[in-house]
Each structure stands twice: as C-alpha cells, then as structure tokens.
Amino acid sequence: TNMNLVTGPGDEGYGLKSLKYSMFSKPKFSEEAPLVSCSSVDDVQPLDAMWTGLYMGSDQNVDKQSIYVLSSAAGETQYIALRRSGVYCKMINFVISENNGQCTYKVNSAGYTGTKDAPCTATTRTEVIAEWNARTNMNLVTGPGDEGYGLKSLKYSMFSKPKFSEEAPLVSCSSVDDVQPLDAMWTGLYMGSDQNVDKQSIYVLSSAAGETQYIALRRSGVYCKMINFVISENNGQCTYKVNSAGYTGTKDAPCTATTRTEVIAEWNARTNMNLVTGPGDKGYGLKSIYYRRFG
C-alpha cells in the first residue's frame, strides 16, 4: 500500500532525512600496474573487472560483473570472474598473491558453460565453482579483437586492518557504525591451539544508541568458546572493551551454532569462563580486535 513520501518530521508519511555512505576510490590492477603494497592478500578485495576479447560481444559493461572466491591458501586467493550472457556463463580465473609485502594480480585461464538445452543459471559460489570445474576452455586473450575472453583490468578496494588492543583502545569516529570488527586474536591457556585468527567468527549481540555489543566465537571440538566485547562511541572516540567469556557444548550435545540467532541462544545458555589477558592464564581472552574503519 503506497504511503506519502514526506520531508519533515511533522508530515504525515515516511521520508529519509539523510543517507550515510562509505566513500572510497577504486584503484585497479592492470598489465601496466600489476603490483600494490599490502600486508596480506586479505587487504585486497576485488570489486569488478573490465573484460576484453572478441567473444565478449556487447557484454563488456563492468556493471554486469560478478566475482567469486574459487579457493584460498597461504599467500594467495584464487577468484572466478563471471559474466552471464544469454545461456552462457563466461568465466575467467585470476589469482591475487602476496610476497614480500607486494600483492600481485595474474590472469590464469578462461572458459564457459551453458547450452540452449542446459543454460547456465549459477548464482551461488558453490554453483559457480561447479560450473568452472565443468567448463569448456576458451582462449585467454589481451585485446578486444582477439578471439576469446580476457580481463583488461581489475578494480579493487584496498584496506589495512587496524586493531584495538590494550595499548590502543581508541579510534576517532563519528558513530559505532564507523567500526566493523573483522576478526580477533585470542589468548588464554584454555584456547589450546585455537588461537589462529583465521578461525574467528564475530556476531552482533545487541545494538543501542552509542554502542554495539558483539560475540566473538571460536568452535573447538564440541565447544563454542565465546567472548563478549563492546564498541562504544563518546565525544568522537570509539572505544573497545572486553566484558565476559563463556562456553557451551558437551559430548552428548555439541555446539553447532552458525547463525546469529543460534549464537545468541548459545551465549544466553553459556557456562561462564575466566576472562584472562595472558596466554598462560586459565581461561579465554582477546588480545586484540582487527577492524575495518568507515567514515
């Protein structure tokens, strides 16, 4: 049912007073600029690509681009750039690698799937990987008149991961929405060998004016090991504070939570654990929180 679109708080209807957004330029990899300084491949997020090649036809519009992770290993991430065109999925595999503080970009191969009787309809990462594995190979080319597909350039978002820690608990911000936790470095004797940051999941527990509560969760065997922390904003400063720790899971009832709703239920049913600050202390703790900053 339609509603009046209004501009003031006293008007009868709905309206938007303002829209906050994150603004960033999009640098690009190309044959002329294949390198960028980085600390890891996670610093580089591919956004879209400019295709080339005679067989791309009129499909070279960058706005029709989708990019999926094919695989990830130490020091490199493989991607599939995919363009849908009629019954076809036209695909190119490229890799971003890190070595000695430099991230490099390289195009590896091209292919396609789809026929009139069996069109390609892949939309999820799992479906796209299956299509890639079943592809018919295509010539990998570098120019618009060449028979095949190619990538002329790759646009990406570049970010480093600053971190909150006991030594650096503050960052300038206009609201808590300016800070997005990405992953955490755990500590504590009871973390065992689970302190690897790559196994980290972070969920929003609750949100209120000026603060957001989070749950950092690590799965270990039958257990969900959890720590609650909060990011608050006051007078243009965002602060980070660890509040409490706990766990759920038994041999007969292992913790299998993956969604936010499930994780919140586990947190509310937790057995409390000592909140600690050092690797030899009996309990769990957070050494630091890595985050992305907007605004």
Side-chain angles (χ1 to χ4, degrees):
T1 299
N2 290 330
M3 174 54 68
N4 297 328
L5 183 63
V6 301
T7 57
D11 300 334
E12 294 182 352
Y14 313 149
L16 293 182
K17 185 177 180 181
S18 61
L19 179 69
K20 293 185 177 181
Y21 60 91
S22 174
M23 180 69 183
F24 56 89
S25 61
K26 293 188 286 188
K28 65 182 181 180
F29 287 113
S30 66
E31 290 185 12
E32 296 76 28
L35 301 175
V36 64
S37 296
C38 66
S39 59
S40 80
V41 289
D42 295 331
D43 290 349
V44 179
Q45 178 188 358
L47 297 174
D48 46 33
M50 183 62 72
W51 290 57
T52 192
L54 188 63
Y55 294 167
M56 288 310 300
S58 60
D59 295 326
Q60 299 184 39
N61 183 352
V62 70
D63 295 332
K64 301 171 82 174
Q65 174 68 43
S66 298
I67 296 176
Y68 302 83
V69 173
L70 174 61
S71 63
S72 185
E76 73 169 38
T77 303
Q78 299 271 348
Y79 294 91
I80 302 169
L82 182 144
R83 182 70 52 79
R84 293 170 189 82
S85 176
V87 300
Y88 301 109
C89 283
K90 302 177 180 181
M91 298 172 283
I92 292 180
N93 165 235
F94 66 92
V95 61
I96 295 177
S97 305
E98 184 277 329
N99 187 39
N100 294 327
Q102 293 285 333
C103 279
T104 60
Y105 151 76
K106 181 184 177 185
V107 180
N108 288 332
S109 54
Y112 70 93
T113 60
T115 66
K116 183 178 179 180
D117 296 328
C120 175
T121 59
T123 56
T124 69
R125 177 180 177 240
T126 299
E127 292 169 345
V128 170
I129 290 174
E131 293 296 318
W132 177 254
N133 290 336
R135 72 192 179 277
T136 298
N137 289 328
M138 174 55 65
N139 297 330
L140 184 64
V141 302
T142 57
D146 300 333
E147 295 182 350
Y149 315 149
L151 292 185
K152 185 176 181 181
S153 60
L154 178 70
K155 294 186 178 182
Y156 59 90
S157 174
M158 182 73 190
F159 64 92
S160 60
K161 292 190 289 187
K163 64 181 180 180
F164 287 114
S165 65
E166 290 184 11
E167 297 77 25
L170 301 175
V171 63
S172 296
C173 67
S174 58
S175 80
V176 289
D177 295 331
D178 290 349
V179 179
Q180 177 194 358
L182 297 175
D183 46 33
M185 184 62 71
W186 291 57
T187 191
L189 188 62
Y190 293 167
M191 289 310 302
S193 60
D194 296 325
Q195 299 184 41
N196 184 350
V197 69
D198 296 332
K199 301 171 80 174
Q200 173 69 42
S201 299
I202 295 177
Y203 302 84
V204 173
L205 174 60
S206 63
S207 185
E211 73 169 38
T212 303
Q213 299 272 347
Y214 294 92
I215 302 169
L217 182 144
R218 184 72 49 81
R219 292 170 190 83
S220 177
V222 301
Y223 301 110
C224 284
K225 302 176 181 181
M226 297 172 283
I227 293 181
N228 165 234
F229 67 93
V230 61
I231 295 177
S232 305
E233 185 276 329
N234 187 39
N235 293 326
Q237 293 284 336
C238 279
T239 61
Y240 150 76
K241 182 183 177 185
V242 180
N243 288 333
S244 54
Y247 69 93
T248 60
T250 66
K251 183 178 179 181
D252 295 328
C255 175
T256 59
T258 56
T259 68
R260 177 181 176 237
T261 299
E262 292 169 344
V263 170
I264 291 174
E266 293 296 318
W267 176 255
N268 291 334
R270 72 191 179 280
T271 298
N272 289 329
M273 173 55 66
N274 297 329
L275 184 64
V276 301
T277 58
D281 300 333
K282 294 180 178 180
Y284 315 149
L286 292 185
K287 187 175 180 181
S288 57
I289 289 285
Y290 291 87
Y291 62 89
R292 186 175 184 181
R293 186 176 178 277
F294 299 89

